[in-house]
């Protein structure tokens, strides 16, 4: 029922002539603002952080996370409407949830990286963007040549290496200060900022779409099901487009 509800929302959103880019307000409400409102209601507090000098990981879990992130990230890149979240859930289930919290974090990070790289490959081979970032790239350069593909892949490797080093360094720095942040005020600030951005970029109709999407986005966690059900907002319109 929630899949059909979010899918109906997607069908309506993509057919609204008043909104040129419905993805931003719709996804902001379904996955962003709905999560923040629930966090406000739960009165979440950030626990004290334990900062270790060395990161201890079992080699078996490391290789398992890398292998599964490569497989799952590549797999979902071939299908419309599914992405890194679904790939992470799939990978975690394939291991029987035995890779632990650190392994799961590696899996999520690897899936996002692989998903982006393979999305460039599918865009080059099929001329079909598979995620929002590739849609933006397509708007900027229209098509990817073979030389462009190699440049993107080289940049992806460089960016991945730089991001890894920065994450290991900056995460420890931020951990010292994150507990001092008032989480409720931070959530309120982000909600206001996103609302203003939607109003500025998508107008009053986009703001209304964001509000309705937020209401729909609250339903899965309240009903006790995965929030990824709301991907019906993309999947159902794609299914109907090919069937009708």
């Amino acid at each position: 029922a929630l899949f059909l509800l979010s899918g109906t929302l997607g069908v309506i959103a993509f057919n609204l002539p008043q909104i040129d880019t419905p993805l931003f307000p719709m996804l902001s409400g379904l996955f962003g603002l709905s999560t923040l409102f629930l966090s406000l209601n739960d009165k979440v507090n950030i626990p004290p952080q334990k900062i270790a000098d060395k990161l201890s990981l079992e080699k078996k879990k490391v290789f398992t996370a890398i292998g599964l992130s490569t497989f799952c990230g590549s797999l979902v890149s071939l299908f419309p409407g599914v992405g890194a979240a679904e790939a992470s859930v799939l990978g975690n289930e394939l291991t029987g949830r035995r890779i632990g919290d650190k392994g799961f974090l590696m899996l999520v990070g690897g899936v996002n990286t692989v998903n982006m790289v393979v999305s460039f490959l599918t865009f080059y081979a099929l001329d079909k963007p598979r995620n929002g970032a590739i849609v933006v790239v397509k708007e900027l350069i229209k098509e990817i040549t073979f030389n462009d593909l190699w440049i993107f892949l080289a940049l992806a490797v460089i960016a991945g290496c730089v991001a890894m080093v920065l994450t290991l360094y900056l995460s420890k720095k931020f951990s010292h200060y994150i507990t001092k942040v008032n989480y409720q005020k931070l959530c309120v600030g982000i909600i206001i900022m996103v609302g203003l951005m939607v109003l500025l970029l998508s107008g009053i109709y986009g703001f209304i779409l964001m509000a309705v999407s937020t209401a729909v986005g609250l339903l899965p966690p309240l009903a006790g099901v995965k929030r990824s059900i709301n991907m019906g907002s993309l999947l159902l319109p794609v299914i109907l487009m090919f069937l009708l």
Side-chain angles (χ1 to χ4, degrees):
L2 292 175
F3 177 85
L4 292 175
L5 179 62
S6 62
T8 303
L9 173 66
V11 171
I12 294 172
F14 287 121
N15 287 279
L16 285 175
Q18 297 89 349
I19 307 176
D20 294 328
T21 53
L23 279 177
F24 177 44
M26 183 174 69
L27 297 182
S28 295
L30 286 174
F31 298 102
L33 297 187
S34 58
T35 302
L36 293 175
F37 277 117
L38 287 175
S39 297
L40 283 175
N41 183 63
D42 294 338
K43 297 182 179 179
V44 174
N45 290 315
I46 301 174
Q49 303 296 298
K50 297 178 181 178
I51 303 172
D53 293 329
K54 293 183 179 181
L55 185 62
S56 59
L57 286 169
E58 296 179 24
K59 290 184 178 180
K60 182 179 179 180
K61 292 183 178 180
V62 170
F63 288 113
T64 300
I66 292 174
L68 282 174
S69 63
T70 303
F71 170 73
C72 297
S74 302
L75 181 64
V76 301
S77 298
L78 302 176
F79 300 100
V82 293
E86 288 75 19
S88 300
V89 172
L90 175 62
N92 199 35
E93 292 297 326
L94 288 176
T95 64
R97 304 183 182 184
R98 293 190 298 269
I99 57 176
D101 293 338
K102 294 178 181 177
F104 181 72
L105 289 175
M106 285 191 63
L107 174 66
V108 173
V111 159
N112 278 284
T113 303
V114 171
N115 182 261
M116 179 58 67
V117 172
V118 177
S119 292
F120 277 115
L121 295 175
T122 54
F123 178 36
Y124 171 74
L126 306 176
D127 196 31
K128 296 290 185 182
R130 294 302 187 195
N131 62 46
I134 304 300
V135 171
V136 175
V137 172
K138 184 177 182 180
E139 291 295 324
L140 293 174
I141 64 175
K142 304 305 178 185
E143 65 178 7
I144 294 181
T145 65
F146 186 71
N147 290 332
D148 293 333
L149 179 63
W150 281 108
I151 292 174
F152 278 124
L153 293 178
L155 290 174
V157 173
I158 295 171
C161 294
V162 173
M164 179 188 69
V165 175
L166 287 177
T167 299
L168 291 173
Y169 174 75
L170 293 177
S171 60
K172 293 182 179 180
K173 297 294 183 182
F174 279 111
S175 296
H176 285 291
Y177 302 104
I178 192 67
T179 54
K180 300 178 182 179
V181 174
N182 188 308
Y183 189 73
Q184 277 69 38
K185 291 182 179 179
L186 178 64
C187 287
V188 171
I190 295 174
I191 290 170
I192 293 173
M193 181 185 71
V194 172
L196 290 175
M197 288 177 63
V198 169
L199 195 59
L200 179 64
L201 298 175
S202 302
I204 187 63
Y205 289 100
F207 190 86
I208 294 172
L209 174 61
M210 180 193 70
V212 175
S213 300
T214 301
V216 175
L218 291 170
L219 296 177
L222 295 177
V225 297
K226 297 291 185 181
R227 196 183 295 273
S228 57
I229 289 291
N230 283 334
M231 288 301 291
S233 59
L234 300 179
L235 284 171
L236 188 60
V238 170
I239 292 170
L240 293 177
M241 181 180 69
F242 282 100
L243 290 180
L244 301 179

